[in-house]
Amino acid sequence: MDDEATELRRILAEELLYPVFQPIIDFRVRAILGYEALIRGPEGSALHRPDQLFAAAHRAGFALELEHACREASLRAFAGQRLPGRLFLNATPGCLLDPQMMNGHTRELLNELGIAPNRIVIELTENQQITDMPGIQEALLHYRGRGFQIAIDDLGEGFANLRMWSELRPEFVKIDKHFVHGIADDRIKYHFVRAMQDLAEICNASLVAEGIERPEDFACIRDMGIACGQGYFIAHPEVYPARQLAPGVVAALAQQRLSLSPMAASAGKMPTARNLLRPIEPVPFDATNATVIERFEADPELDVLPVVQDGQPLGMINRHSMIDRFARPFRKELFGRKSCDLFMDHAPLVVDQNATIQELALMLSMAPKHYLFDGFIVTGEGQYLGVGSSHDLMATITEMQISAARYANPLTQLPGNVPINEHIDRMLTAGSDFVAAYIDIDNFKPYNDTFGYRRGDDVIQSLGRLICEAAEERLDFVGHIGGDDFFVVFQSSDWELRCWQLVRSFAEAMDAQLSPEVRARGGYMAENRRGEIAFHPLPTLSIGAVKAVRGEYESHREVAAAASAAKKQAKKKAKSADSETLLGGSLFIERRRPGSIEAMRQVLRTIN
């Protein structure tokens, strides 16, 4: 124990600690958000590993001294390498309450190193119990007031950090790697993380998925819409970390994915950051403040100036902020010849040219307010291309919303015919196998005429919700053709079971809306189309399903025609091996015979 304490004193006295930095990717903009600093003891020392280092410090009573030393070493290395983006610094709750942390030393160090406080994220770890929550809240209010942001680590590892989330309202929340590793193959983990995502949206926090090690998990996290990710698949912690994403990560980000959200149904045509960029000539890092002022004075329309070195964006200078500072007495004389990095934002919003408008909007909505005025820098493969403005982004989103409203069904807000057709065509182009299911309500018109259109609308809306619940949100596309007709493009392997679950759910929903007498009779007496009083059976579902194997269909027209034919067979409740009936509905699965697809194409050509 004495040897351990002696070694620890030597490490602290000789400043032998060094950090490694692990990149954190922002999925929304396909770029590095920042780096987490992870401390190491000297090579060859028994205290090289962080777990051994901190355990020894705790036993020797040097925990706070070690944390302060780690913080300073990380900040100096981060500044020394001029790493872009944010720096995530680990801190225990007890350290936040230490007077040395709040006495201004950190602020002085940041000023010395030229690091803006808004680039620092204080990452609270749960390795010690919080006994003074009001004190922690007050301390965080102090740090936030100076520009720092807050993150909590390892969400899901214990109940304490759930309480921390609800009471501290951090800007970032890190998901414990247990829930991330294997998420692509584990439905339980997927739904746990989905629940965390719902909470994050309510709390206006960005989730960071830790421990991404497999490409399948990377793709799953990306497609779920999780904001950020970290792990060995993206990059290992390094003393000198990469400033750009590795080619394998770039390729994984660029992989074709078939979006299932109504807004993104035409993802192939969705505008990206490249559509918004303006090719503003940047200023170099060593440009003087006087040069920047001259650029602004020469061009009244210029609101921001990007700062770029060797093609890589380093910062952004806001026109109004710059001119306001130089309007004060003697500022031009004092700072005119100094480097422009003195007044630039060192953590601008940098996005890849392929980032979608949706991703940009989400990023800006959760970012500090000054980004709305400054806009964002657009890059291609890490190289500066231009600048985009929030005004142009909002105009594009408004136009997209108007366009989307034209294609969405007004009753259910589900995608209509155009998005359905586009999605099927994208599935065919991608060569993906899928099942097309045409869903129709039997005996709906007499029900609607008898009980009124409001009750009829309720049935249609209820069916829309039931279909969305039955579908796998990660894989299956749900559309509303119109009236009581719906269309589902299934990619989930258990699609047939989901269809039967839908049939049962719809029958139960109808039962809940009808009187016991009507349910007992299995129908009701009402006028038919000829004006005669007749018995009408209760509404049920007919589902016609068609398996679309790669290369079998050429267009959405062929798929729709085949699904429509299958739906008609389901309505007939054909007594064959391919048709099954159940109280409350029927399902017909069409298995095509050789030559039938070509015959259908001949019919379509004749019609067209």
Side-chain angles (χ1 to χ4, degrees):
M1 185 70 70
D2 290 340
D3 292 342
E4 184 180 78
T6 300
E7 174 67 1
L8 184 60
R9 291 191 188 94
R10 182 182 75 86
I11 291 172
L12 293 174
E14 298 179 18
E15 299 180 353
L16 299 178
L17 296 172
Y18 68 93
V20 291
F21 298 97
Q22 186 170 35
I24 298 173
I25 188 176
D26 191 320
F27 287 108
R28 299 163 296 187
V29 294
R30 298 179 176 90
I32 292 177
L33 170 76
Y35 302 83
E36 180 180 0
L38 304 165
I39 210 69
R40 300 288 185 267
E43 295 282 354
S45 169
L47 302 182
H48 171 67
R49 288 173 43 188
D51 55 342
Q52 296 170 334
L53 183 66
F54 282 91
H58 181 74
R59 289 190 290 268
F62 292 161
L64 290 178
E65 289 86 341
L66 177 61
E67 279 205 55
H68 292 307
C70 292
R71 183 177 75 250
E72 182 160 345
S74 299
L75 286 169
R76 291 192 180 279
F78 184 77
Q81 295 186 47
R82 294 186 179 275
L83 291 175
R86 293 175 172 83
L87 173 63
F88 285 69
L89 283 175
N90 289 289
T92 59
C95 182
L96 291 183
L97 298 174
D98 183 49
Q100 290 187 52
M101 189 76 169
M102 302 180 68
N103 64 3
H105 174 72
T106 300
R107 184 171 65 252
E108 292 174 1
L109 181 60
L110 290 176
N111 289 337
E112 174 194 336
L113 299 174
I115 302 176
N118 64 3
R119 299 181 64 194
I120 304 300
V121 181
I122 300 173
E123 185 173 327
L124 290 177
T125 58
E126 196 194 358
N127 56 14
Q128 63 177 222
Q129 186 175 1
I130 297 179
T131 57
D132 184 7
M133 184 61 76
I136 292 294
Q137 290 175 318
E138 184 178 349
L140 293 183
L141 186 64
H142 166 84
Y143 296 122
R144 281 195 171 112
R146 283 152 179 77
F148 296 94
Q149 292 185 307
I150 307 300
I152 60 172
D153 196 16
D154 296 333
L155 179 66
E157 188 181 53
F159 291 106
N161 51 20
L162 284 174
R163 181 190 172 192
M164 287 170 64
W165 189 357
S166 67
E167 298 197 20
L168 303 183
R169 303 298 172 89
E171 284 77 18
F172 295 92
V173 177
K174 289 194 166 185
I175 305 172
D176 184 67
K177 62 184 179 182
H178 166 79
F179 294 96
V180 174
H181 185 72
I183 188 173
D185 309 313
D186 192 320
R187 289 174 57 83
I188 299 299
K189 289 183 178 180
Y190 175 87
H191 286 290
F192 264 112
V193 174
R194 177 64 79 196
M196 297 176 191
Q197 190 175 23
D198 292 340
L199 287 173
E201 291 178 1
I202 295 171
C203 300
N204 200 29
S206 294
L207 288 183
V208 181
E210 290 190 295
I212 301 177
E213 298 180 357
R214 307 189 310 158
E216 309 95 288
D217 297 334
F218 180 88
C220 181
I221 290 292
R222 174 202 65 192
D223 292 347
M224 287 179 71
I226 301 299
C228 306
Q230 180 180 359
Y232 289 168
F233 179 77
I234 299 166
H236 286 255
E238 302 284 353
V239 175
Y240 298 101
R243 295 169 179 266
Q244 298 181 25
L245 296 174
V249 178
V250 173
L253 286 169
Q255 283 178 355
Q256 176 81 15
R257 70 178 188 264
L258 299 174
S259 175
L260 302 178
S261 66
M263 186 73 172
S266 57
K269 301 179 181 177
M270 178 171 286
T272 63
R274 186 173 184 83
N275 299 112
L276 301 178
L277 73 83
R278 291 178 295 146
I280 296 175
E281 181 67 28
V283 295
F285 185 76
D286 56 359
T288 64
N289 290 312
T291 301
V292 173
I293 290 292
E294 289 173 4
R295 285 283 304 275
F296 283 132
E297 290 176 344
D299 186 355
E301 299 298 319
L302 195 62
D303 293 320
V304 292
L305 266 178
V307 180
V308 175
Q309 191 74 13
D310 298 327
Q312 294 190 358
L314 300 179
M316 186 92 87
I317 301 175
N318 180 282
R319 173 193 190 90
H320 302 290
S321 175
M322 188 76 168
I323 292 179
D324 179 64
R325 291 180 178 183
F326 270 72
R328 301 171 191 175
F330 308 113
R331 284 300 178 99
K332 186 172 290 187
E333 291 79 7
L334 288 172
F335 300 108
R337 296 183 179 181
K338 293 188 176 181
S339 172
C340 65
D341 74 314
L342 187 65
F343 297 125
M344 79 175 185
D345 178 4
H346 290 259
L349 181 56
V350 179
V351 304
D352 183 81
Q353 61 179 331
N354 296 314
T356 66
I357 296 301
Q358 276 186 306
E359 292 166 332
L360 270 173
L362 181 61
M363 184 70 175
L364 279 169
S365 70
M366 303 179 72
K369 291 181 180 178
H370 73 271
Y371 287 132
L372 291 173
F373 303 103
D374 291 353
F376 46 91
I377 293 174
V378 182
T379 62
E381 297 182 357
Q383 296 294 298
Y384 171 79
L385 295 178
V387 174
S389 74
S390 300
H391 179 273
D392 292 341
L393 174 63
M394 294 303 110
T396 302
I397 289 174
T398 301
E399 183 180 341
M400 288 172 58
Q401 288 175 332
I402 293 172
S403 176
R406 293 176 185 153
Y407 295 137
N409 187 283
L411 184 60
T412 60
Q413 296 302 306
L414 289 170
N417 289 335
V418 173
I420 292 171
N421 294 339
E422 289 178 347
H423 185 75
I424 293 173
D425 283 339
R426 287 191 297 129
M427 293 287 291
L428 295 173
T429 301
S432 302
D433 295 344
F434 61 93
V435 173
Y438 196 133
I439 302 169
D440 185 27
I441 304 178
D442 300 319
N443 310 310
F444 177 72
K445 189 177 187 310
Y447 179 91
N448 194 58
D449 292 342
T450 302
F451 295 99
Y453 74 91
R454 290 188 181 276
R455 288 277 293 274
D457 285 352
D458 289 343
V459 171
I460 292 173
Q461 289 176 322
S462 175
L463 176 56
R465 288 192 295 271
L466 291 172
I467 295 173
C468 291
E469 290 172 4
E472 168 56 66
E473 60 184 331
R474 291 183 295 175
L475 301 172
D476 305 329
F477 181 98
V478 179
H480 187 176
I481 297 172
D484 59 325
D485 293 351
F486 291 80
F487 205 91
V488 181
V489 179
F490 284 108
Q491 293 185 82
S492 49
S493 58
D494 58 346
W495 63 271
E496 190 172 349
L497 176 60
R498 293 175 186 275
C499 286
W500 282 121
Q501 288 174 338
L502 175 61
V503 168
R504 293 188 182 91
S505 298
F506 181 76
E508 293 169 359
M510 288 303 306
D511 283 349
Q513 296 187 33
L514 299 169
S515 66
E517 293 78 15
V518 172
R519 293 201 301 270
R521 291 196 302 267
Y524 52 92
M525 303 298 294
E527 285 189 0
N528 59 22
R529 294 182 179 179
R530 295 188 296 272
E532 302 167 345
I533 299 298
F535 179 80
H536 296 279
L538 298 179
T540 57
L541 283 189
S542 284
I543 304 176
V546 176
K547 296 180 179 180
V549 180
R550 179 182 302 183
E552 199 170 58
Y553 294 92
E554 293 180 354
S555 72
H556 67 265
R557 293 182 181 84
E558 294 182 2
V559 175
S564 180
K567 186 255 302 187
K568 290 177 182 177
Q569 292 298 318
K571 278 184 169 293
K572 293 178 182 178
K573 298 180 173 62
K575 304 299 182 180
S576 70
D578 285 341
S579 178
E580 302 175 61
T581 59
L582 181 78
L583 180 62
S586 63
L587 168 65
F588 179 87
I589 304 170
E590 184 169 352
R591 297 179 175 90
R592 293 209 157 267
R593 298 176 178 86
S596 60
I597 296 177
E598 184 56 38
M600 179 188 64
R601 286 175 184 159
Q602 292 294 338
V603 173
L604 288 173
R605 292 189 190 106
T606 303
I607 294 173
N608 293 334

